[in-house]
């Protein structure tokens, strides 16, 4: 199976993304824009959710109408920056379940080490959407997807704001079955694994933690 990569280049997303990239964008506005972009990206991510039909009464007639079928979908935030996208996704799908995965990079081996993992039950019956604003080296995203598969996830997607070509290549090679939905594909990674031109450290920018 080959990986799919979808760029959502809606003008409103591109406009909001430019404001996000600006150094002088304040924290509160950064968070608000992330939420708004997540809502629109979420529409793309959820466009193939299975629909059934239910029979209802409108004020004028009884009839069959489309209705979401199956188990509630699950958004999984890759901590901590993934949390910036969750509120926008929950605005769109308020009944979704939410999981969290925390990983840090071991300074010796440079491999991701899991420190937190909490997801809803029955992942195998849900669409599982991993979210992280930045797909940079993809090391964490690859490890998180592997862990979710070990826990039963079968149908998965990965949603991000910005991706580096290196990250897309690495993630697609490791998980060719997981489509990527993204707002922009940037030029490259720098020597510290940051995306260029990028927007800096997404976590620091959304929580105001850069000294
Ligand atoms: N994580 C970030 O927050 N920013 C990058 O540019 C790369 C990874």
């Amino acid at each position: 199976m080959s990986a799919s990569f979808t760029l959502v280049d809606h003008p409103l997303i591109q406009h909001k993304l430019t404001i996000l990239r600006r150094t002088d964008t304040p924290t509160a506005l950064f968070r608000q824009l992330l939420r708004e972009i997540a809502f629109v990206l979420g529409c793309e991510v959820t466009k193939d959710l299975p629909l059934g039909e239910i029979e209802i009464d409108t004020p004028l007639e009884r009839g069959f109408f489309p209705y979401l079928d199956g188990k509630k979908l699950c958004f999984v935030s890759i901590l901590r920056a993934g949390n910036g996208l969750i509120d926008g996704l929950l605005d769109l799908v308020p009944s979704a379940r939410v999981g969290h995965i925390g990983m840090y990079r071991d300074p010796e081996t440079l491999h991701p080490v899991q420190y937190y993992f909490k997801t809803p039950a029955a992942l195998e019956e849900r669409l599982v959407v991993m979210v992280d604003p930045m797909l940079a080296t993809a090391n964490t995203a690859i490890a998180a997807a592997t862990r979710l598969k070990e826990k039963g996830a079968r149908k998965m997607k990965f949603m991000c704001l910005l991706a580096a070509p290196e990250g897309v290549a690495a993630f697609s090679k490791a998980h060719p079955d997981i489509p990527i939905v993204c707002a922009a594909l940037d030029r490259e990674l720098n020597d510290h694994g940051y995306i260029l031109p990028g927007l800096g450290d997404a976590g620091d920018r959304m929580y105001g933690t850069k000294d």
Side-chain angles (χ1 to χ4, degrees):
M1 202 188 306
S2 65
S4 95
F5 178 80
T6 303
L7 207 53
V8 182
D9 58 357
H10 189 289
L12 282 173
I13 292 198
Q14 297 310 314
H15 174 82
K16 290 171 197 282
L17 194 48
T18 299
I19 302 172
L20 275 184
R21 290 182 192 273
R22 287 180 67 149
T23 315
D24 57 358
T25 297
T27 305
L29 178 58
F30 192 93
R31 276 202 289 268
Q32 178 60 32
L33 290 169
L34 262 188
R35 182 179 188 138
E36 292 168 8
I37 294 175
F39 187 95
V40 184
L41 287 176
C43 292
E44 173 67 29
V45 165
T46 54
K47 72 177 184 192
D48 53 3
L49 281 179
L51 281 175
E53 282 196 331
I54 56 165
E55 192 176 12
I56 59 162
D57 293 309
T58 77
L60 298 175
E61 282 188 354
R62 189 162 181 79
F64 287 90
F65 294 90
Y67 204 68
L68 284 176
D69 214 10
K71 267 230 173 309
K72 305 268 184 296
L73 67 90
C74 175
F75 298 121
V76 177
S77 165
I78 300 182
L79 298 175
R80 72 182 157 145
N83 280 2
L85 299 170
I86 291 293
D87 285 344
L89 290 171
L90 289 176
D91 289 342
L92 182 67
V93 193
S95 62
R97 305 308 192 231
V98 180
H100 295 88
I101 298 183
M103 292 192 169
Y104 69 90
R105 193 156 65 146
D106 184 292
E108 309 263 298
T109 65
L110 301 184
H111 288 146
V113 180
Q114 179 188 305
Y115 65 85
Y116 190 77
F117 186 96
K118 189 85 178 173
T119 55
L123 286 183
E124 61 282 357
E125 296 174 49
R126 305 177 189 277
L127 169 64
V128 176
V129 182
M130 289 174 27
V131 301
D132 189 340
M134 313 299 272
L135 182 59
T137 63
N139 290 340
T140 305
I142 290 170
T146 302
R147 192 80 182 90
L148 287 164
K149 285 180 179 174
E150 285 165 4
K151 285 283 178 177
R154 294 286 165 269
K155 185 167 169 37
M156 296 174 65
K157 296 191 181 188
F158 181 76
M159 187 185 108
C160 60
L161 200 61
L162 293 185
E166 299 92 324
V168 174
F171 188 82
S172 303
K173 185 164 180 230
H175 294 289
D177 55 317
I178 304 181
I180 301 168
V181 173
C182 177
L185 182 62
D186 274 12
R187 194 177 67 245
E188 60 184 345
L189 290 180
N190 71 9
D191 293 343
H192 303 286
Y194 279 87
I195 297 175
L196 297 176
L199 50 73
D201 187 295
D204 279 343
R205 297 219 43 206
M206 77 181 70
Y207 295 121
T209 45
K210 191 162 166 57
D211 298 328

